[in-house]
Amino acid sequence: MEIQLGLFEAILDLLFLRPMFFAGLIFVGASLYWFLRKDNTVPKIKAVIGSILMYYFLGILLRNVVGIPTLNEFFRLTRLGESIFNPNANLIPIVGEIDLEFILNILAFIPLGFLCPIISRSYEQVKRVALLGVGLSLAIEISQLFTLHRATDINDVIANTLGAVVGFLCFRLCIVIFRVKGKHNDSLKVNSMRFLPALIVATAFIFTFIS
């Protein structure tokens, strides 16, 4: 019973986000409202649900999975007299067999690639999803130069980007399976919603840092 309770509490702790982080959700909601007013070609319910899920997913990923540094951690290290900059980097790509950590990193980024095209039709192109995956991965790895117990690893960037691409492919597979049809016109290629996924990523990163 104690083991089960401990596991349950661990899962709840993993899914829990600090109150400050939810302040960012207000900013995401305001941005979403502004984008939807400018672009009425996007299904509102789909965009809202996708945006909320993506922001929540990023909150869990950044704080509880990959562990980017936070402002409180910087203050703590300063009080202890520890250095804020703690470089521990591996810049050598995959050598030998793929380990479990590499596979877990792929799995961790699948939701990003799946949710991006739900939020914006501009991300119905794999190159844009991959680019966002690379950008977020680089931001995470660079930030981990400022942590005590994390390592900056080029293999994580590769795995994370692959995960985003796999998520995109899962989205495309769902489109085929459920025969979902969308409107296709040239205006969708330049719609204002193309900025929203990157904005959600940036907001989640900033509010994770200050939370």
Side-chain angles (χ1 to χ4, degrees):
M1 181 65 182
E2 291 181 358
I3 295 176
Q4 292 179 343
L5 184 60
L7 178 61
F8 180 70
E9 290 175 343
I11 293 174
L12 285 181
D13 185 61
L14 178 67
L15 298 177
F16 176 77
L17 297 176
R18 295 190 176 185
M20 173 60 76
F21 192 81
F22 287 96
L25 189 59
I26 298 175
F27 177 76
V28 170
S31 302
L32 182 60
Y33 175 75
W34 186 81
F35 283 127
L36 288 175
R37 286 189 62 187
K38 291 178 67 66
D39 188 349
N40 58 11
T41 64
V42 180
K44 291 181 173 58
I45 296 298
K46 185 177 76 169
V48 169
I49 293 176
S51 297
I52 292 173
L53 287 176
M54 185 171 175
Y55 184 74
Y56 180 69
F57 152 72
L58 287 169
I60 295 174
L61 177 75
L62 295 174
R63 183 168 185 84
N64 299 333
V65 179
V66 300
I68 69 169
T70 64
L71 198 57
N72 285 335
E73 180 67 10
F74 284 170
F75 289 149
R76 187 183 73 84
L77 291 176
T78 301
R79 288 194 301 268
L80 294 174
E82 297 282 353
S83 173
I84 292 177
F85 185 60
N86 299 282
N88 178 19
N90 170 41
L91 302 180
I92 302 174
I94 302 171
V95 177
E97 297 181 357
I98 294 177
D99 57 14
L100 179 61
E101 182 180 356
F102 189 88
I103 295 174
L104 291 177
N105 282 335
I106 292 176
L107 295 176
F109 267 66
I110 287 177
L112 178 72
F114 187 86
L115 291 172
C116 279
I118 290 178
I119 296 171
S120 171
R121 290 288 303 277
S122 293
Y123 279 80
E124 291 186 1
Q125 301 178 31
V126 68
K127 63 181 180 181
R128 293 193 177 185
V129 173
L131 184 61
L132 186 61
V134 169
L136 176 56
S137 299
L138 287 175
I140 291 170
E141 297 306 313
I142 291 172
S143 74
Q144 288 178 344
L145 293 171
F146 300 89
T147 60
L148 273 176
H149 307 294
R150 297 278 182 172
T152 297
D153 194 334
I154 187 63
N155 293 320
D156 290 347
V157 175
I158 296 172
N160 296 343
T161 305
L162 283 175
V165 171
V166 170
F168 173 82
L169 294 177
C170 290
F171 169 81
R172 296 302 304 171
L173 181 61
C174 289
I175 294 296
V176 173
I177 292 175
F178 297 105
R179 301 179 184 276
V180 178
K181 295 182 179 179
K183 297 177 181 179
H184 294 276
N185 57 61
D186 293 337
S187 65
L188 291 178
K189 297 179 182 178
V190 293
N191 70 83
S192 60
M193 294 290 285
R194 69 187 184 277
F195 300 112
L196 188 56
L199 180 63
I200 294 173
V201 168
T203 302
F205 204 96
I206 292 170
F207 275 87
T208 300
F209 173 70
I210 66 177
S211 65

